Amino acid sequence: MDGQLSFTRCEIMTILSTQQIETFWRDGAVVVPGAVSEGQLDKLKADMAGWVEESRSHGHAYGQTLDGRPRFDLEPGHSRKVPALRRVASPTEVSPAYHDVAFNAKLADMVADLIGPAIRFHHAKVNSKLPGSATVVKWHQDFPFDPHSNDDVITALLFVDDVTPDNGPLMISPGSHKGPLYTLWHDGKFTGAVSEDLAARFERDAVACHGPAGSACLMHSRVAHASSHNRSDGPRTLFIVTYAAADAQPIGPIAVPSVHAGAMVRGEDTRHIRSIAFDMPLPEIPKGASFFVQQAGGE
Ligand SMILES: O=C(O)CCC(=O)C(=O)O
């Protein structure tokens, strides 16, 4: 063996299959079952049910996050009888169950398979579409809301309820993560959505992401996505956690602030920054409770 180096083969164990990893990088998203245990899922559902009950006694967005904006956001038309709680900001701060899932579930291991091994928590929220509510999400990419030094950033959308073709599933434009970053500014206003022409283009080749409760849609931060309203008689609750590779440093303030922002979730903090070239207008932090207000034409 003179003059030859001998290598020990190192097997890297992943939770995601090779096919799931390939789908993610090809389409910009993949739906994976079993991202949390049944026990974890039950606790998420129970806390959400409690928040919906509590929302019945409020007429306006309420509660408070780190920057003083409301934690619980209500869709216009919300009432005691037909509650339309549409967003809980930073639930990891007020619910051990949501914190446990963001940090300790398979969900994070799956994300680490894609952009790890070292990943950090960026922010988290619950998006809810209760039956009878009109909540919709207009077409956008997440990266222009949450710019980082590089785009190894994933939005992990955990299905707290079954997500079906009828209850307002996330729709993505497959492959759009390989294309440009699209502005969310129109006529001098930050609208949190792409232009109507672009939205129509994305709509034409849209693919819906659905599956049983406990599944997750792992979505690249540059993928264009949207969702329509819930036409079913059951809720559609997503627990959404944004994770970034440890060397992807956020640029600018975080629209959904959290005491957990920047915390390592898997791997070691490398204290390293990696950058890629891109240019885009900076986002605007909403003055209201959430980006739903901006997408509806407010601030
Ligand atoms: O709730 C949804 O359907 C989509 C979520 C989303 O796009 C977002 O909050 O950025």
Side-chain angles (χ1 to χ4, degrees), residues 147-164:
H148 282 69
S149 62
N150 69 66
D151 59 8
D152 276 349
V153 180
I154 287 183
T155 306
L157 305 103
L158 178 80
F159 302 174
V160 179
D161 301 305
D162 292 344
V163 177
T164 69

Side-chain angles (χ1 to χ4, degrees), residues 35-58:
V36 291
S37 71
E38 278 186 22
Q40 286 172 320
L41 188 60
D42 288 346
K43 288 184 188 161
L44 298 185
K45 281 179 188 281
D47 280 359
M48 184 61 198
W51 289 327
V52 173
E53 274 318 294
E54 183 187 47
S55 77
R56 292 180 193 271
S57 57
H58 292 268

Side-chain angles (χ1 to χ4, degrees), residues 141 143-144 147-148 180-183 222 276-282:
Q141 297 162 300
F143 195 82
H148 282 69
L181 291 167
Y182 298 102
T183 187
R222 292 176 80 129
I276 59 168
F278 62 87
D279 67 283
M280 48 161 263
L282 285 171

Side-chain angles (χ1 to χ4, degrees), residues 4-293:
Q4 284 189 9
L5 291 175
S6 105
F7 292 97
T8 311
R9 246 187 110 203
C10 169
E11 298 265 325
I12 299 174
M13 297 292 288
T14 59
I15 293 201
L16 296 179
S17 68
T18 307
Q19 196 184 358
Q20 287 167 328
I21 293 173
E22 280 172 9
T23 301
F24 174 84
W25 290 111
R26 184 194 63 217
D27 294 347
V30 62
V31 177
V32 190
V36 291
S37 71
E38 278 186 22
Q40 286 172 320
L41 188 60
D42 288 346
K43 288 184 188 161
L44 298 185
K45 281 179 188 281
D47 280 359
M48 184 61 198
W51 289 327
V52 173
E53 274 318 294
E54 183 187 47
S55 77
R56 292 180 193 271
S57 57
H58 292 268
H60 302 282
Y62 60 98
Q64 210 177 58
T65 55
L66 273 186
D67 62 2
R69 287 184 297 129
R71 187 180 302 280
F72 299 93
D73 188 19
L74 306 174
E75 177 79 22
H78 164 92
S79 68
R80 182 180 288 277
K81 207 163 155 222
V82 186
L85 175 64
R86 64 184 174 186
R87 162 67 63 86
V88 181
S90 298
T92 55
E93 294 181 331
V94 291
S95 159
Y98 281 81
H99 182 274
D100 181 47
V101 165
F103 284 84
N104 302 322
K106 269 194 196 160
L107 183 71
D109 298 318
M110 292 170 170
V111 173
D113 282 351
L114 295 168
I115 55 167
I119 56 167
R120 315 173 181 278
F121 176 97
H122 181 260
H123 78 272
K125 60 217 173 193
V126 172
N127 274 10
S128 155
K129 293 181 185 177
L130 289 165
S133 71
T135 306
V136 299
V137 175
K138 294 183 181 172
W139 284 95
H140 66 281
Q141 297 162 300
D142 284 349
F143 195 82
F145 279 100
D146 302 318
H148 282 69
S149 62
N150 69 66
D151 59 8
D152 276 349
V153 180
I154 287 183
T155 306
L157 305 103
L158 178 80
F159 302 174
V160 179
D161 301 305
D162 292 344
V163 177
T164 69
D166 288 336
N167 68 4
L170 183 84
M171 294 178 304
I172 64 149
S173 173
S176 51
H177 62 303
K178 296 178 186 161
L181 291 167
Y182 298 102
T183 187
L184 304 175
W185 288 84
H186 305 288
D187 300 325
K189 194 171 163 71
F190 185 77
T191 66
V194 301
S195 70
E196 287 180 13
D197 286 354
L198 257 179
R201 219 169 80 198
F202 291 140
E203 197 80 39
R204 278 200 289 277
D205 71 353
V207 170
C209 303
H210 38 79
S215 309
C217 174
L218 308 175
M219 183 179 75
H220 193 283
S221 179
R222 292 176 80 129
V223 161
H225 59 282
S227 65
S228 58
H229 73 278
N230 180 356
R231 299 190 308 274
S232 78
D233 55 9
R236 192 231 60 173
T237 312
L238 298 181
F239 176 35
I240 304 175
V241 190
T242 298
Y243 299 98
D247 61 4
Q249 299 292 343
I251 297 167
I254 302 179
V256 186
S258 168
V259 294
H260 300 122
M264 291 304 295
V265 179
R266 292 289 179 275
E268 298 293 316
D269 184 354
T270 49
R271 301 194 55 74
H272 193 82
I273 183 167
R274 178 169 50 93
S275 65
I276 59 168
F278 62 87
D279 67 283
M280 48 161 263
L282 285 171
E284 200 160 78
I285 301 285
K287 293 194 176 65
S290 74
F291 88 132
F292 285 115
V293 177

